[in-house]
Structure formats: structure tokens, C-alpha cells
Amino acid sequence: MKTHKDLEVWKKSIELVTEIYQVTKNFPKEELYGLTSQMRRAAISIPSNIAEGSARQGNKELVQFLYIALGSVVELDTQLIIARNLSYINEEKFIQLIVKLEEIAKMLNGLINYRKTKL
């Protein structure tokens, strides 16, 4: 691995952050410090933890940060369900984002399993 920027999972999670920002721009203003902020922070946490883990020494620390990123994935999944239930996003956009999130989760799990074999 060269840097975190070479990882496909990092690239896909950066794209997801952009989408989450675009989607939450249309949320009600009263959600600015609530769901909007929570979703943005969870989304940002995914590529940020991949990057931070990649900069650490050794696979053990990388795996730890990848697990944190995975935790942010499930956090964002929950928040997307809430946003859909509150009709802040429509079903089509919800499914589109969930599919991307599931792909990122699978990629993170694969990377975690691969790196664990290197411990």
C-alpha cells in the first residue's frame, strides 16, 4: 500500500461524504445541529479513520482505525434510516446511499480481514 489515497475504499468514502453533504443541504434548518451535523460527522469519520490508520505504524493500529471507520458506517446507516423515516430523503435516494454504504462496509471488512492475517 502506497498511501491511503490509493485505497479504493478511501476514494469511495470520500465520494460518499460529498453526497451526504449535498443531501443534508436540503434538510430542515432546525436539523443543522442535529441530524445534519451527525450525518456529516459520521460520513467524514469514515475516510478520516482510514487515512489516520494508514499513517500509523503497523497493521494492528491500522485494523483498529478500520474498525472505527466501520463503526461510523453503521452509525451513518442508522442516521439514513432516520432521515428516510422523517421524509428528509426519498426512498430512491435512501436506497442509492445505502447501497454505497454497504459496498464501503464490505470493502472495509475485506481490508480488515486481510490486514489481520498480517498481524
Side-chain angles (χ1 to χ4, degrees):
M1 183 173 82
K2 296 169 189 131
T3 73
H4 62 280
K5 293 178 186 175
D6 297 308
L7 292 170
E8 229 17 72
V9 67
W10 181 85
K11 293 174 189 175
K12 288 187 181 294
S13 61
I14 287 290
E15 291 170 11
L16 181 67
V17 171
T18 304
E19 283 193 64
I20 292 297
Y21 265 76
Q22 290 167 343
V23 165
T24 56
K25 249 194 304 193
N26 299 320
F27 281 16
K29 295 299 173 218
E30 65 266 15
E31 287 293 350
L32 185 59
Y33 301 106
L35 192 56
T36 300
S37 175
Q38 288 285 72
M39 288 178 69
R40 289 176 174 184
R41 283 187 289 144
I44 289 169
S45 176
I46 300 165
S48 297
N49 278 293
I50 294 167
E52 187 171 353
S54 298
R56 299 296 178 124
Q57 298 296 316
N59 282 319
K60 187 175 182 183
E61 285 182 290
L62 172 58
V63 168
Q64 179 182 354
F65 280 93
L66 293 175
Y67 274 122
I68 294 168
L70 194 56
S72 295
V73 166
V74 296
E75 186 179 345
L76 184 55
D77 177 76
T78 299
Q79 294 157 352
L80 283 167
I81 293 167
I82 293 166
R84 182 202 53 196
N85 290 351
L86 293 171
S87 299
Y88 294 165
I89 56 175
N90 64 35
E91 189 67 22
E92 182 182 340
K93 190 63 175 179
F94 171 77
I95 291 169
Q96 177 193 5
L97 291 169
I98 289 295
V99 165
K100 289 180 180 189
L101 203 53
E102 287 173 350
E103 181 181 15
I104 290 169
K106 287 177 187 173
M107 293 174 85
L108 280 170
N109 274 315
L111 187 54
I112 288 167
N113 290 334
Y114 173 74
R115 290 295 174 170
K116 283 171 84 174
T117 65
K118 304 293 181 189
L119 293 179

